[in-house]
Amino acid sequence: MLEHDSNFLVETFKQYYFDHFNLIHVPDRSSEREFGYKKFNSGMIRHISLKTDKDLRLMLMTNVPSDVFCSNAYYSFPNLSMGEKDWKEADLIFDIDAKDLNLSCRKEHTCIKCLSCNEVSLIQDICPKCKSNKLDFVSLPCQNCISSLKKETLNLIKILTTDLQIRRENILVSFSGNDGFHLYVANSAYNTLGSKERSDLSDYIMFRRAIPEAFGFKKANPSRSLFPELVESGWRGRVAADLFGSKSNRSKGVTKIISDGYYAYRQRLEEMGKNSIGIRIDPNVTVDIHRIFRLEGSLNSKSGLAKLVCENIEKFSPYTDACLINDKPVEVLAKCPIAFRLKNKKFGPYINESVSVPKFTAAYMICKGIANLA
């Protein structure tokens, strides 16, 4: 990032943290958690111990980080090296990101930035200016992305509360500050699970590695009565709904499954997990019991938007509610061939042109790499 752009973001982020101290808090059991941060054009600094909001705010104003993180894990000695921390337990974390939903609209609001010449253009295989294939993909999610993310998040909550018997009040939902949602499960029986067990849990939630025997198909003499019914709970009921659609179609559907054979059924179950009934979380996030996650209330350097708790996810509007930088006019050289919306205002497309935009828009575009200060 160019120095004058990073200086602009440092000033902007510092002002945000000064104006919005009320959003920044250390989480419960803060003395057992590891904190960390990144600065613009710099690497990660972690193994930090913070005990109070005052400690956190002092760190923010002294260092003006681009990103602030906190562990989901609890340690005896959070400020020591990883091998000496003495891990106790960790909250369950789930990450649902727009890029993992494979939405057809994504191509319409994604552009490319050439890593060789910095040209920004509509999505294609090579840079139209220098013909390089070293490209970065920049997505500006649309309302369909947000609606789909919310639906996926609500589906995950349903599985957590019904299948895993997790109390709804123990599930915290946050907008990630970019193009996804995070779910935190605290104070549950799953806190003491290790990485292997969390991997198994991720497979269950994503409906991965499902075997035909669990859903009615025995290799020798398959019985029609063993196939799932729509009225069943859990995955059997969801599989039946996806396979048959209605109770009246079950008999015909079972006949076709048996006719197609065991291996075709297994392939069908795999496809269902990937494309329809499986919850599309990032499993790498869930299994990592030492990861540090973006802190609620902090800004995301990929967008300039805030990571915020969603009290009501269905009413939450990320590109309005999490857009908290002020609207002071800023001149930028914009290189954005697609339109986007922030605070219910449309911006772009811009083709290498100098424009005056609100400060929150300038920060968003600079963070995305599709604008520079003019």
Side-chain angles (χ1 to χ4, degrees):
M1 184 181 292
L2 297 175
E3 184 177 359
H4 67 297
D5 290 334
S6 63
N7 289 341
F8 165 77
L9 291 177
V10 168
E11 179 274 326
T12 299
F13 278 39
K14 186 173 185 176
Q15 187 64 49
Y16 166 84
Y17 287 121
F18 182 81
D19 293 339
H20 297 283
F21 267 159
N22 62 307
L23 297 178
I24 315 297
H25 301 285
V26 293
D28 293 340
R29 298 172 62 181
S30 59
S31 63
E32 299 172 81
R33 297 182 188 263
E34 175 193 358
F35 292 82
Y37 66 87
K38 291 175 66 176
K39 299 185 74 171
F40 290 101
N41 293 335
S42 184
M44 176 76 77
I45 299 171
R46 54 185 301 180
H47 310 302
I48 297 171
S49 178
L50 300 173
K51 295 181 174 62
T52 67
D53 286 355
K54 183 178 179 181
D55 295 336
L56 173 59
R57 291 166 183 173
L58 178 62
M59 185 192 79
L60 292 174
M61 298 310 293
T62 302
N63 297 286
V64 193
S66 62
D67 304 274
V68 187
F69 305 96
C70 177
S71 69
N72 65 317
Y74 304 94
Y75 302 100
S76 298
F77 311 103
N79 60 323
L80 297 184
S81 63
M82 197 58 69
E84 300 176 305
K85 287 183 184 298
D86 184 24
W87 186 90
K88 297 178 178 180
E89 59 179 289
D91 298 331
L92 272 180
I93 303 281
F94 301 98
D95 180 16
I96 298 177
D97 197 280
K99 71 178 186 301
D100 297 322
L101 300 187
N102 300 318
L103 300 172
S104 59
C105 64
R106 191 164 178 84
K107 288 184 179 180
E108 299 172 8
H109 51 72
T110 298
C111 54
I112 58 169
K113 182 174 183 179
C114 179
L115 299 178
S116 298
C117 71
N118 291 323
E119 178 74 5
V120 179
S121 60
L122 293 173
I123 191 167
Q124 49 197 289
D125 293 332
I126 61 173
C127 172
K129 183 177 180 180
C130 73
K131 309 305 179 186
S132 171
N133 60 0
K134 297 178 180 179
L135 309 172
D136 189 19
F137 291 86
V138 181
S139 181
L140 310 179
C142 67
Q143 188 54 50
N144 181 60
C145 293
I146 299 303
S147 297
S148 299
L149 284 165
K150 289 181 177 182
K151 181 180 178 181
E152 199 77 0
T153 300
L154 292 171
N155 287 338
L156 173 56
I157 291 173
K158 184 177 180 180
I159 289 177
L160 295 177
T161 54
T162 59
D163 295 26
L164 302 184
Q165 300 298 302
I166 293 171
R167 297 168 62 183
R168 179 61 182 88
E169 56 265 34
N170 288 344
I171 302 173
L172 180 73
V173 180
S174 297
F175 171 60
S176 71
N178 192 25
D179 55 359
F181 288 90
H182 295 164
L183 279 80
Y184 296 72
V185 178
N187 303 317
S188 79
Y190 302 95
N191 271 38
T192 56
L193 294 182
S195 293
K196 173 61 172 65
E197 293 80 11
R198 291 173 194 240
S199 178
D200 294 338
L201 189 62
S202 295
D203 285 345
Y204 179 84
I205 289 169
M206 299 176 75
F207 195 66
R208 295 197 303 185
R209 301 182 176 90
I211 60 174
E213 287 83 354
F215 297 91
F217 203 129
K218 292 186 176 180
K219 286 185 179 180
N221 301 318
S223 171
R224 300 177 67 87
S225 64
L226 295 178
F227 284 86
E229 303 272 3
L230 275 75
V231 295
E232 293 186 67
S233 61
W235 281 119
R236 282 181 59 87
R238 297 182 194 107
V239 166
D242 195 82
L243 286 173
F244 311 129
S246 66
K247 184 178 179 180
S248 61
N249 291 333
R250 182 180 180 275
S251 179
K252 182 180 178 180
V254 170
T255 298
K256 186 177 189 314
I257 290 170
I258 294 174
S259 174
D260 290 343
Y262 178 91
Y263 294 102
Y265 189 38
R266 185 171 69 182
Q267 181 64 34
R268 179 78 182 275
L269 292 174
E270 290 178 1
E271 291 173 356
M272 289 166 62
K274 293 177 182 177
N275 301 317
S276 55
I277 65 174
I279 306 300
R280 283 158 288 189
I281 61 172
D282 181 347
N284 296 319
V285 169
T286 301
V287 304
D288 191 344
I289 59 173
H290 297 292
R291 199 181 188 103
I292 52 177
F293 295 86
R294 194 172 305 282
L295 185 68
E296 274 77 15
S298 67
L299 291 179
N300 190 321
S301 69
K302 297 177 182 177
S303 66
L305 303 175
K307 177 175 180 178
L308 294 182
V309 173
C310 305
E311 300 294 343
N312 186 328
I313 188 173
E314 293 178 279
K315 293 183 178 179
F316 186 78
S317 179
Y319 297 103
T320 297
D321 298 340
C323 191
L324 299 178
I325 292 172
N326 67 55
D327 60 359
K328 177 183 176 182
V330 175
E331 291 283 334
V332 297
L333 177 61
K335 300 169 284 186
C336 180
I338 53 180
F340 61 94
R341 299 187 71 87
L342 290 175
K343 289 193 174 181
N344 295 317
K345 297 179 181 178
K346 178 177 176 282
F347 300 94
Y350 304 117
I351 309 299
N352 293 327
E353 54 189 286
S354 182
V355 293
S356 177
V357 296
K359 196 172 188 178
F360 60 80
T361 305
Y364 182 77
M365 295 180 74
I366 293 172
C367 286
K368 291 284 185 180
I370 53 176
N372 303 103
L373 283 184

